């Protein structure tokens, strides 16, 4: 998974980086068993900017590699998932890839390509980005008296990983 931003020069990018950390957990429906971190800091326009490289294993056994570049010269988010006979590529709905797309490969051939607008059923960015569906699910759960699926306990590990990145830890277990 790659998160790249154009000229995001803030000293602490972890509050944005946590989104790709959380996305991996969501897509794989699994927590992190362990992560090894690398940090690359460079000076850009007088500001120290850190990129983050995370190699991890999920409790499901899946391997993940997250590359997070705050000042990459391009604004994109891309995810690749590889299986034995299938693979998926997802381009986020922001930056150059707007409105995003999903490609599914089967047995080394492109089997399907769907635009972000087709997936979301709308051209509206707040719908394509998932904010509307997320809010809708939350309010429906509250109205029905159910605990929302995405609660504070579910977010706890992503925040712990973000804190480990902020503290420049070498490993998370």
């Amino acid at each position: 998974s790659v998160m790249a931003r154009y000229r995001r020069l803030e000293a602490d990018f972890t509050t944005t980086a946590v989104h790709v950390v959380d996305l991996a957990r969501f897509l794989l429906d699994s927590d992190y068993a362990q992560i090894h971190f690398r940090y690359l800091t460079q000076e850009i326009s007088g500001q120290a900017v850190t990129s983050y490289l995370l190699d991890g294993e999920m409790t499901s056994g899946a391997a993940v590699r997250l590359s997070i570049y705050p000042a990459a010269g391009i604004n994109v988010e891309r995810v690749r998932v590889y299986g034995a006979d299938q693979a998926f590529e997802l381009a986020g709905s922001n930056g150059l890839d707007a409105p995003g797309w999903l490609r599914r490969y089967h047995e080394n051939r492109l089997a399907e390509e769907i635009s972000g607008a087709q997936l979301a059923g709308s051209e509206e960015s707040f719908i394509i980005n998932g904010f509307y569906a997320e809010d809708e699910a939350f309010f429906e759960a509250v109205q029905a008296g159910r605990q929302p699926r995405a609660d504070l306990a579910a977010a706890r590990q992503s925040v712990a990983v973000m804190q480990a990145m902020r503290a420049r830890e070498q490993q998370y277990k």
Side-chain angles (χ1 to χ4, degrees), residues 18-20 22-23 25-26 120 124-143 146-152 154-155 158:
V18 70
H19 296 293
V20 75
D22 199 47
L23 177 64
R25 290 180 62 225
F26 175 78
E124 297 288 340
S125 64
F126 68 93
I127 294 175
I128 293 172
N129 284 322
F131 300 124
Y132 184 84
E134 183 178 55
D135 290 348
E136 182 180 46
F138 173 79
F139 290 121
E140 284 178 358
V142 169
Q143 287 176 337
R146 295 188 320 268
Q147 177 68 32
R149 181 172 180 248
D151 61 8
L152 291 175
S158 295

Side-chain angles (χ1 to χ4, degrees), residues 100-105 110-115 118:
W101 43 262
L102 173 67
R103 293 180 184 146
R104 182 177 65 85
Y105 299 87
L110 179 63
E112 185 176 18
E113 182 169 347
I114 306 168
S115 78
Q118 287 173 298

Side-chain angles (χ1 to χ4, degrees), residues 10-23:
E10 61 260 35
D12 182 11
F13 191 72
T14 61
T15 57
T16 300
V18 70
H19 296 293
V20 75
V21 167
D22 199 47
L23 177 64

Side-chain angles (χ1 to χ4, degrees), residues 4-78:
R5 291 293 187 265
Y6 177 70
R7 297 193 61 79
R8 292 281 299 270
L9 304 180
E10 61 260 35
D12 182 11
F13 191 72
T14 61
T15 57
T16 300
V18 70
H19 296 293
V20 75
V21 167
D22 199 47
L23 177 64
R25 290 180 62 225
F26 175 78
L27 290 175
L28 295 169
D29 193 26
S30 181
D31 284 335
Y32 292 97
Q34 63 179 346
I35 305 172
H36 297 278
F37 302 95
R38 287 185 43 214
Y39 306 94
L40 307 169
T41 301
Q42 58 186 349
E43 188 173 315
I44 302 172
S45 301
Q47 176 69 44
V49 178
T50 300
S51 295
Y52 309 89
L53 304 173
L54 289 68
D55 286 308
E57 182 180 335
M58 308 305 279
T59 56
S60 65
V64 296
R65 173 167 282 164
L66 308 177
S67 304
I68 303 163
Y69 306 104
I74 188 171
N75 186 23
V76 296
E77 290 181 28
R78 300 204 177 135

